[in-house]
Amino acid sequence: MGGFFGVVSVNDCVEDLYYGTDYHSHLGTARGGMAVTDRNGIIIRTSHDISNSLFRSKFDGDLSKFAGATCGIGAISDMDDQPLLIGSHLGVYSLVTVGKLINIQDLAQEAFKNRHIHFSTQKTGEFNQTEVVASLIDSQDSIESGIAFAMDKIKGSCSLLLMKDGVIYAARDKYGRTPIVLGQKLTATAASMETSAFPNLDYEFVRNLGPGEIVMFTAHEITQLKKPEALNQICAFFWVYFAFPSSTFEGKNTETVRYANGAGIAADDEYASKIDSVCGVPDSGVAHAIGYSNTVHKPYMRALIKYTPTWLRSFMPQNQLSRNLIARMKLLPVDDQIANKKLLFLDDSIVRGTQFRDVARRLYERKAKEVHLRSASPPLAFPCLFLNFSRSKSTMDLVARRVINTLEGGEPSPEILKEYITAGTERYNNMVEEIRKMLGLTSLRYQTIDKLVEAIGLPKERICTFCFDGCDPTGCAKCANCMVPPPDLKSAEPKS
Ligand code: SF4
């Protein structure tokens, strides 16, 4: 994933940029960067490796050289180095992107054909996606038409901020997979991935950008350059897992959605009356667990506590071995809350299943009587195609799909797969039971797609649920996974 923040101010904007970008630290683990336009109109940029340190600790020393700047963009990224500083026939500008260009190779090859001679590559030979987006923008006659062109050509997802001549352009992904929100105070306007960046910097939320919408803003004025598209497919995982709890997207606050989601899971749980306590797997399982606990009137207890002084982030490195090590080291058991207790845990999702299998084993070693698990999201059956969602790289990473293939003796037909992803069917129940056994749990339940959508509170047509049901309304005719009719776009509410 990744996140960004951009600000134009009548005064020095550096503190706002620094803290506004820092408030996206939960969205990425690899690179952090900022670029500002100084009072002479020169863009200065800096970026650092933040894989082993906090964003703030790396940039403290850079702030003095930014002093006096009134316009800036910053990014936290899971892979690419950004912001990039681009010089082209459109002038000099700085660019940050969040998303995943699944057709990046095609776009690069097309650029080569059009005599865009080279891109810088990384050690792995991969292109920097922000640089490829810049090449698309530069292929047109203006920044405005270039951004619109890039958004149209990109498959996957891309939201961006572009800073040029002391103003910022903000463009939200064509299908709205990732959000952009606008905020203002008397002296400045800001664009942010998450609203959580606003209150402590004294910005008032102004509005969400709609899918595909492009705006340009100065310190006081926001100008719409392109109207939003009809179809919104914001990622359901923003509410389940990615987002900071205080953030609100499309009018739906993350913490509140997580409470409602936990309550929905509790509503028909036959074990709710039999357990001793409800626990959340830190961090993103906690609010779902509070919602569950409040609904069934069983105490919320912390049987596992995250060691926050050093394990600050909820995001994990790309490398699986490091992920497993971190997952183990960051959680400390509280024996008094475990021994002789029937514990029910809520976690945001079950991806490979390996992490909670280890947790369950350790809980039993510490004499837990029962360990129940509730997943705040439905079974993950399809890897994400649209975001750089590090937790599900390939289909067989997903424990649900591995179990399905084992039960079916190979890849299932689309019809059979549909049965597995439909809650309540015999095949679905068999799959859940197999996963329960693999993880060594007393009981296992998943949230259903319908109830998750209900907890979010938007029409299903306006939320991406692809990794649960393979439904991609943006490509119904072509999508091999698609098993539902196209949405009725007329029922989609207007974008705010
Ligand atoms: S496939 Fe899943 S993770 Fe990817 S955008 Fe859709 S809901 Fe989000």
Side-chain angles (χ1 to χ4, degrees):
M1 268 289 287
F4 54 51
F5 185 88
V7 53
V8 187
S9 175
V10 292
N11 304 318
D12 186 314
C13 74
V14 177
E15 274 211 353
D16 284 7
L17 176 64
Y18 174 60
Y19 290 112
T21 306
D22 182 61
Y23 276 130
H24 292 81
S25 295
H26 55 288
L27 293 176
T29 53
R31 305 287 308 176
M34 293 190 291
V36 297
T37 307
D38 72 12
R39 290 200 182 268
N40 301 316
I42 309 289
I43 299 179
I44 319 166
R45 77 171 278 276
T46 185
S47 78
H48 293 289
D49 180 344
I50 55 165
S51 51
N52 278 314
S53 53
L54 295 173
F55 174 85
R56 282 200 317 279
S57 67
K58 288 282 186 154
F59 287 86
D60 255 354
D62 294 312
L63 298 188
S64 56
K65 70 182 181 212
F66 289 167
T70 54
C71 181
I73 56 176
I76 303 276
S77 172
D78 246 355
M79 37 180 213
D80 290 345
D81 189 20
Q82 42 177 340
L84 293 188
L85 189 52
I86 305 287
S88 78
H89 74 104
L90 297 174
V92 176
Y93 62 87
S94 187
L95 181 66
V96 295
T97 63
V98 167
K100 179 181 175 183
L101 277 55
I102 54 180
N103 59 337
I104 191 166
Q105 289 298 336
D106 294 344
L107 294 172
Q109 293 310 321
E110 212 173 308
F112 293 148
K113 265 194 235 151
N114 295 333
R115 294 177 186 253
H116 183 113
I117 308 298
H118 59 258
F119 292 108
S120 55
T121 62
Q122 313 191 356
K123 266 188 288 188
T124 52
E126 288 167 5
F127 300 117
N128 179 315
Q129 77 167 22
T130 304
E131 193 180 4
V132 174
V133 175
S135 80
L136 293 168
I137 294 170
D138 294 340
S139 70
Q140 302 300 298
D141 293 333
S142 68
I143 294 288
E144 185 179 332
S145 60
I147 295 173
F149 176 76
M151 296 311 224
D152 210 44
K153 296 286 278 184
I154 288 165
K155 293 198 174 112
S157 73
C158 179
S159 290
L160 63 83
L161 297 179
L162 186 153
M163 176 176 69
K164 182 174 185 295
D165 299 332
V167 303
I168 292 178
Y169 297 78
R172 184 172 171 193
D173 172 55
K174 183 162 59 167
Y175 298 116
R177 307 254 183 220
T178 48
I180 299 182
V181 289
L182 297 173
Q184 275 185 320
K185 56 184 174 184
L186 269 182
T187 52
T189 299
S192 179
M193 201 109 209
E194 296 214 8
T195 59
S196 52
F198 288 154
N200 290 352
L201 298 173
D202 297 325
Y203 287 84
E204 292 292 332
F205 168 78
V206 174
R207 68 179 183 91
N208 299 290
L209 250 61
E213 184 176 1
I214 304 173
V215 298
M216 180 186 80
F217 61 91
T218 60
H220 294 304
E221 246 179 275
I222 300 167
T223 310
Q224 187 183 58
L225 303 176
K226 183 175 177 296
K227 287 193 169 141
E229 304 287 339
L231 179 57
N232 194 351
Q233 286 287 284
I234 184 168
C235 170
F237 263 103
F238 269 93
W239 289 282
V240 172
Y241 163 69
F242 290 136
F244 200 74
S246 62
S247 283
T248 296
F249 309 101
E250 316 288 343
K252 307 295 176 189
N253 169 254
T254 303
E255 181 80 353
T256 308
V257 166
R258 289 177 187 169
Y259 292 161
N261 198 42
I265 296 169
D268 50 8
D269 192 334
E270 73 272 27
Y271 286 94
S273 60
K274 301 173 191 155
I275 52 164
D276 294 316
S277 49
V278 182
C279 312
V281 178
D283 289 312
S284 47
V286 169
H288 300 288
I290 291 172
Y292 187 106
S293 159
N294 289 343
T295 304
V296 300
H297 305 295
K298 289 284 180 176
Y300 178 80
M301 295 291 181
R302 296 199 296 167
L304 295 172
I305 300 183
K306 187 169 165 186
Y307 189 70
T308 48
T310 53
W311 302 111
L312 299 175
R313 293 196 183 108
S314 59
F315 247 77
M316 294 288 194
Q318 303 276 324
N319 172 303
Q320 185 57 38
L321 278 179
S322 312
R323 263 205 297 261
N324 289 347
L325 180 70
I326 290 172
R328 181 184 171 84
M329 298 312 291
K330 74 180 183 184
L331 294 181
L332 292 172
V334 182
D335 285 350
D336 268 7
Q337 299 304 327
I338 297 173
N340 302 314
K341 301 262 199 267
K342 298 174 187 170
L343 305 168
L344 186 142
F345 280 85
L346 279 99
D347 204 352
D348 55 75
S349 55
I350 303 171
V351 185
R352 293 168 183 80
T354 48
Q355 287 174 8
F356 202 85
R357 186 180 59 198
D358 184 50
V359 168
R361 185 181 51 74
R362 293 170 70 199
L363 291 167
Y364 285 124
E365 282 169 4
R366 306 188 110 76
K367 309 276 184 272
K369 253 200 216 159
E370 294 179 3
V371 179
H372 305 261
L373 178 61
R374 302 294 175 262
S375 168
S377 61
L380 290 164
F382 303 93
C384 176
L385 297 180
F386 315 111
L387 302 176
N388 184 33
F389 185 24
S390 59
R391 293 176 138 206
S392 61
K393 287 272 183 208
S394 77
T395 307
M396 285 307 125
D397 278 349
L398 306 171
V399 65
R401 283 301 283 272
R402 285 205 308 278
V403 166
I404 291 169
N405 279 23
T406 305
L407 288 171
E408 291 300 320
E411 196 61 34
S413 67
E415 293 72 29
I416 287 181
L417 187 54
K418 186 172 183 180
E419 283 185 45
Y420 277 107
I421 62 180
T422 306
T425 65
E426 195 180 334
R427 281 195 158 97
Y428 174 94
N429 292 340
N430 290 343
M431 170 190 72
V432 174
E433 175 59 10
E434 285 306 309
I435 298 171
R436 182 197 70 76
K437 285 194 248 167
M438 281 173 69
L439 271 56
L441 301 165
T442 313
S443 78
L444 170 66
R445 300 283 183 275
Y446 286 88
Q447 178 59 299
T448 65
I449 297 171
D450 287 351
K451 281 188 161 185
L452 172 61
V453 168
E454 194 183 318
I456 293 171
L458 296 172
K460 185 173 186 299
E461 297 82 11
R462 292 185 62 193
I463 309 167
C464 178
T465 54
F466 178 84
C467 50
F468 314 127
D469 59 10
C471 171
D472 176 17
T474 68
C476 267
K478 295 170 278 173
C479 176
N481 292 323
C482 189
M483 289 177 271
V484 297
D488 174 8
L489 292 184
K490 285 192 199 117
S491 74
E493 290 168 23
K495 320 299 163 303
S496 58

